[in-house]
Amino acid sequence: MEFMSKFKPDENTIKEFENWIVVIREKQVTLGACVILLKRQVSSLSEMTESEAGELPKVINWYEKKCQNCYGAEKFNYVVAMMKDNFVHYHAFPRYSFVINKYEKEWEDRDWPKVVNFRDVDIKKEILEKIIQDMKE
């Protein structure tokens, strides 16, 4: 799965499904932001098989419940841009109308209630590892 190596699935995977992998998004624009990667390299949503497309609601359901239970997420934004990385993947952002104090850090959804804005956010590796661990449980 070399095509998805940018997202470091070997170290950032939270959960693996038959057709999809959920990895932590290293640039945590909002707490719990992830990337949902199709395990097969295709460049368009229309190229997904029925099995791949059919499993996606199960993946989304797991992800949303996990973010609600771990962090109290209220809404979710999903972005399927595929401009820079030309393969099927969803950037998933939990959304919050409140500030969260977790992992010795204050997390604020700066874009609430508008659509999330992609930005570079530096998060320490130790914090990412704690988020991965909490979301795995």
Side-chain angles (χ1 to χ4, degrees):
M1 292 189 268
E2 180 65 29
F3 67 94
M4 66 172 73
S5 64
K6 169 185 179 177
F7 296 104
K8 302 178 187 172
D10 291 342
E11 57 190 88
N12 290 340
T13 294
I14 296 169
K15 184 152 177 84
E16 188 167 346
F17 293 83
E18 182 179 339
N19 299 296
W20 300 88
I21 299 173
V22 180
V23 300
I24 197 69
R25 190 174 190 277
E26 290 187 346
K27 297 174 182 176
Q28 287 284 287
V29 174
T30 61
L31 179 57
C34 287
V35 182
I36 301 170
L37 300 152
L38 182 63
K39 289 182 181 180
R40 191 170 64 88
Q41 187 175 6
V42 296
S43 61
S44 172
L45 292 173
S46 66
E47 295 178 63
M48 287 192 303
T49 65
E50 284 185 30
S51 175
E52 292 164 344
E55 186 180 43
L56 188 57
K58 177 182 177 181
V59 176
I60 299 289
N61 184 52
W62 172 86
Y63 174 70
E64 290 185 0
K65 284 190 168 132
K66 185 58 71 172
C67 290
Q68 290 164 341
N69 292 336
C70 285
Y71 308 118
E74 299 170 276
K75 298 270 187 184
F76 296 86
N77 288 162
Y78 297 93
V79 179
V80 188
M82 299 188 307
M83 298 300 287
K84 192 187 297 184
D85 303 302
N86 191 24
F87 53 88
V88 172
H89 63 288
Y90 292 76
H91 290 266
F93 300 95
R95 304 303 308 278
Y96 308 93
S97 65
F98 53 90
V99 174
I100 301 167
N101 288 297
K102 186 105 173 146
Y103 311 116
E104 300 175 21
K105 179 176 171 28
E106 191 172 87
W107 302 83
E108 181 180 4
D109 185 343
R110 293 182 7 202
D111 301 311
W112 180 273
K114 298 176 183 158
V115 175
V116 74
N117 184 4
F118 280 66
R119 66 175 67 72
D120 287 340
V121 180
D122 292 325
I123 302 295
K124 294 178 185 174
K125 183 66 177 166
E126 299 80 32
I127 292 176
L128 289 174
E129 289 169 355
K130 289 177 184 178
I131 296 170
I132 291 168
Q133 191 59 44
D134 285 350
M135 290 185 74
K136 279 184 175 183
E137 293 176 358

